[in-house]
């Protein structure tokens, strides 16, 4: 599952011509001055480039915010839920690798239109799933359809939009990504409270079909090669090697929560296989004249720093988005619809701040200060939430939710400005694909680690709290008797009052253990953010 608050890139085009061969008219972006629909297509194209990836961010945010309802709907254990996010992440990475192969054969217009229609079919399949296996397959199918949307649309904005319109197009792209993420908790809270978890998938099918029509109307027919001999030849073996490496690493990460690494030969063997496949893939891509991903940009120091900061941002954004609704619902007792409203309003504040950033960004020359401040705000947000009392009301959340809204603006936007600033068109295309592979893997890794961390801490706190619930503890026996008497006075049969009192105490222990595990989770996020702040502060490339 991808990150909730998306990034944007204000890379400026270099003088090198874009390597985006065409096979037909330029639709809404070029030639044909006599075409009466051209102004409409130009505007539709600008919005299509933001709405298409915005749909993916919207649905991914839905699943992060309301993960507990999806896993509960198909009776999935935490381990099985992680497989849903893992399947989506791996399939998305493979889609990014195959993106250019598809584009060279059918062009961007057909590629985006077809993938949107297939994604709608996957949404229906996911929404009608009756078990974990069906949902995992549906999510993998959706990931392969939608995983490359952000790369495709951002690359199109860079290489097919004239320089005089590119800045406005990129701003619209970023604004619609953030808006999609902001709409997710508001709409998701309403869908879950009024209907079922299935509607979180089904509600994206109709917009995907409409966007397929928009893509066919507005996206120019670029990318397709008339002469296949002039295009890249992408062998199948490295593609499968990368898929094998990703699958092996995900299995190892999954099982290490339950099994010691050296306890069984399977995990070391999978690790060796994964490392070997990944090394061979990297060597092949480095040497191949037309690779899936050109790795030469990795030699640039500013690009390396940018990728690491991107990974830190996506990890923090996904872990925060997973823990926040659980704290509000299970810890503080808010309803799902109320939780969605609070988180949605916080995300809408981010959208407003984004508009302000577009106005003042050109006046900010020391962007390192913004990046470090963004990480420091995440630390403050996490510590603030970690100190939240279990009886906190809505008014006590306004400040921390406002602080949380600033994180994406202060962190990922300056990173995006700096990472690709020296890239020409060709380097940008490959570098941006590599960055989006990292986005998908960071989101999947964030889900698996935060779920494992929460399970471990909840089990630890539940064990410690249960230790005091024994007949030799006078406080426990007094509490049990008081509860039993109160239930008996309330009309519960005397023979059942004792058992009902024990059940209430067990519920109290479970809620307290969950609340304490959420607190630990935010402390863990603060530590990760501190590492990110220190790393950003010592980087000279960010000056």
């Amino acid at each position: 599952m991808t990150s909730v608050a998306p990034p944007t890139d204000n890379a400026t085009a270099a003088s090198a011509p874009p390597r985006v061969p065409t096979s037909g008219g330029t639709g809404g972006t070029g030639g044909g001055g006599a075409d009466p629909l051209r102004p409409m297509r130009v505007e539709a194209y600008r919005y299509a480039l933001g709405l298409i990836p915005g749909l993916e961010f919207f649905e991914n945010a839905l699943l992060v915010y309301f993960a507990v309802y999806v896993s509960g709907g198909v009776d999935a254990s935490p381990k099985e839920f992680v497989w849903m996010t893992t399947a989506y992440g791996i399939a998305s990475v493979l889609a990014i690798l195959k993106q250019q192969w598809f584009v060279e054969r059918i062009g961007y217009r057909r590629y985006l239109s077809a993938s949107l229609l297939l994604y709608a079919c996957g949404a229906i399949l996911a929404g009608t799933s009756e078990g974990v296996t069906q949902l995992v397959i549906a999510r993998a199918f959706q990931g392969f359809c939608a995983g490359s949307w952000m790369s495709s649309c951002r690359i199109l904005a860079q290489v097919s939009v004239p320089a005089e319109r590119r800045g406005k197009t990129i701003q619209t792209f970023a604004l619609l990504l953030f808006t999609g993420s902001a709409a997710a908790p508001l709409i998701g809270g309403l869908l879950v409270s009024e209907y079922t978890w299935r509607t979180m998938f089904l509600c994206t099918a109709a917009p995907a079909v409409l966007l397929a029509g928009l893509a066919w109307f507005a996206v120019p027919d670029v990318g397709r090669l008339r002469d296949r001999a002039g295009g890249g030849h992408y062998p199948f073996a490295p593609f499968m090697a990368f898929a094998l490496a990703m699958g092996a690493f995900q299995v190892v990460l999954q099982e290490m929560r339950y099994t010691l690494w050296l306890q069984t030969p399977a995990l070391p063997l999978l690790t060796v296989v994964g490392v070997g496949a990944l090394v061979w893939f990297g060597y092949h891509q480095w040497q191949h004249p037309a690779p899936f991903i050109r790795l030469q940009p990795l030699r640039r120091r500013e690009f390396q720093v940018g990728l690491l900061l991107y990974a830190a941002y996506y990890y923090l954004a996904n872990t925060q988005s997973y823990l926040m609704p659980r704290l509000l619902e299970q810890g503080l007792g808010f309803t799902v619809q109320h939780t969605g409203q609070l988180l949605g309003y916080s995300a809408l504040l981010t959208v407003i701040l984004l508009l302000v950033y577009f106005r003042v960004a050109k006046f900010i020359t020391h962007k390192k200060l913004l990046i470090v401040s963004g990480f420091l705000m995440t630390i403050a947000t996490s510590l603030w939430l970690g100190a939240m009392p279990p009886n906190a009301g809505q008014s006590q959340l306004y400040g921390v939710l406002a602080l949380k809204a600033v994180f994406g603006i202060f962190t990922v936007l300056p990173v995006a400005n700096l990472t690709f600033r020296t890239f020409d068109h060709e380097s940008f295309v490959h570098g941006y694909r590599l960055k989006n592979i990292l986005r998908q893997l960071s989101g999947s890794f964030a889900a698996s680690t935060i779920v494992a961390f929460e399970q471990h801490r909840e089990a630890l706190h539940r064990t410690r709290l249960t230790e005091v619930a024994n007949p030799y503890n006078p406080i426990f026996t007094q509490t049990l008797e008081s509860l039993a008497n109160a239930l008996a006075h309330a009309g519960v049969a005397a023979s059942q009052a004792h058992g009902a009192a024990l059940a209430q105490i067990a519920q109290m222990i479970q809620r307290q253990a969950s609340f304490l595990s959420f607190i630990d989770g935010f402390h863990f996020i603060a530590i990760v953010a501190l590492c990110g702040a220190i790393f950003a502060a010592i980087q000279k490339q960010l000056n």
Side-chain angles (χ1 to χ4, degrees), residues 221-449:
D221 189 14
V222 297
R224 184 160 57 98
L225 298 178
R226 290 180 177 179
D227 181 13
R228 294 285 171 78
H233 299 280
Y234 307 107
F236 191 65
F239 178 78
M240 293 306 299
F242 190 84
L244 176 64
M246 293 299 99
F249 288 145
Q250 290 291 346
V251 170
V252 172
L253 287 174
Q254 292 274 91
E255 297 302 322
M256 279 183 64
R257 307 201 306 265
Y258 310 100
T259 307
L260 294 177
W261 189 72
L262 292 175
Q263 186 174 341
T264 170
L267 295 186
L269 179 62
L270 280 174
T271 303
V272 172
V273 170
V275 171
L278 190 60
V279 169
W280 183 81
F281 172 82
Y283 175 79
H284 179 277
Q285 296 295 287
W286 191 276
Q287 300 292 331
H288 199 274
F292 293 114
I293 299 293
R294 196 175 300 279
L295 300 178
Q296 280 74 11
L298 279 173
R299 291 181 294 189
R300 305 188 187 192
R301 176 66 178 173
E302 68 274 11
F303 186 61
Q304 298 171 3
V305 172
L307 287 184
L308 290 174
L309 290 173
Y310 266 127
Y313 165 76
Y314 286 125
Y315 185 89
L316 290 170
N318 279 277
T319 49
Q320 272 193 328
S321 298
Y322 177 83
L323 282 179
M324 278 294 296
R326 295 173 69 83
L327 173 66
L328 296 181
E329 288 186 59
Q330 301 179 29
L332 302 180
F334 289 98
T335 63
V336 60
Q337 188 170 0
H338 196 185
T339 297
Q341 290 172 351
L342 289 173
L343 296 176
Y345 295 151
S346 174
L348 288 176
L349 178 59
T350 304
V351 176
I352 296 173
L353 293 174
L354 177 63
L355 295 173
V356 176
Y357 180 85
F358 288 153
R359 296 284 185 179
V360 303
K362 59 184 177 181
F363 303 110
I364 304 174
T365 56
H366 294 83
K367 290 186 168 58
K368 178 198 279 192
L369 296 178
L370 285 182
I371 298 171
V372 175
S373 298
F375 284 113
L376 294 178
M377 288 180 180
T378 303
I379 296 172
T381 301
S382 301
L383 295 178
W384 193 341
L385 290 168
M388 193 71 64
N391 59 346
Q394 177 175 318
S395 60
Q396 295 173 265
L397 294 170
Y398 291 148
V400 69
L401 290 175
L403 192 61
K404 177 181 178 293
V406 184
F407 168 54
I409 305 298
F410 272 43
T411 305
V412 75
L413 294 179
V415 170
N417 291 146
L418 298 169
T419 303
F420 301 99
R421 59 183 173 178
T422 61
F423 279 30
D424 57 22
H425 284 301
E426 183 71 16
S427 298
F428 178 85
V429 168
H430 288 273
Y432 202 78
R433 286 183 189 141
L434 187 59
K435 170 256 176 186
N436 275 283
I437 288 176
L438 185 67
R439 174 178 74 92
Q440 298 290 355
L441 295 179
S442 298
S444 177
F445 181 67
S448 60
T449 53

Side-chain angles (χ1 to χ4, degrees), residues 11-13 157-159 161-171 425:
T12 56
Q158 186 72 19
V159 302
V161 177
E164 63 272 14
R165 293 202 305 266
R166 188 176 303 131
K168 188 176 181 180
T169 300
I170 293 173
Q171 289 184 1
H425 284 301

Side-chain angles (χ1 to χ4, degrees), residues 36-182:
L37 293 177
R38 185 175 181 272
M40 183 187 300
R41 282 178 173 161
V42 168
E43 288 301 302
Y45 184 43
R46 178 163 66 93
Y47 284 98
L49 292 181
L51 288 171
I52 292 172
L55 178 63
E56 186 210 3
F57 276 85
F58 169 76
E59 194 209 36
N60 285 344
L62 278 180
L63 299 186
V64 172
Y65 282 122
F66 304 101
V68 63
Y69 297 97
V70 176
S71 57
V74 292
D75 196 22
S77 65
K79 180 179 179 180
E80 291 170 331
F81 169 76
V82 171
W83 271 115
M84 299 178 203
T85 61
T86 298
Y88 186 94
I90 294 177
S92 297
V93 170
L94 298 180
I96 295 172
L97 290 180
K98 293 294 288 185
Q99 170 196 338
Q100 188 63 26
W101 186 91
F102 284 119
V103 167
E104 288 180 357
R105 281 151 181 79
I106 63 176
Y108 274 104
R109 173 191 288 172
R110 293 173 178 83
Y111 176 66
L112 289 174
S113 299
S115 63
L116 281 160
L117 292 175
L118 292 173
Y119 176 87
C121 297
I124 295 173
L125 179 62
T128 56
S129 297
E130 297 295 338
V132 177
T133 303
Q134 292 180 7
L135 190 53
V136 169
I137 294 173
R139 290 299 292 159
F141 181 75
Q142 285 188 294
F144 194 76
C145 294
S148 63
W149 287 350
M150 185 178 182
S151 297
S152 298
C153 293
R154 182 60 182 87
I155 289 170
L156 278 173
Q158 186 72 19
V159 302
S160 69
V161 177
E164 63 272 14
R165 293 202 305 266
R166 188 176 303 131
K168 188 176 181 180
T169 300
I170 293 173
Q171 289 184 1
T172 303
F173 173 86
L175 185 64
L176 291 175
L177 293 188
F178 275 96
T179 303
S181 297

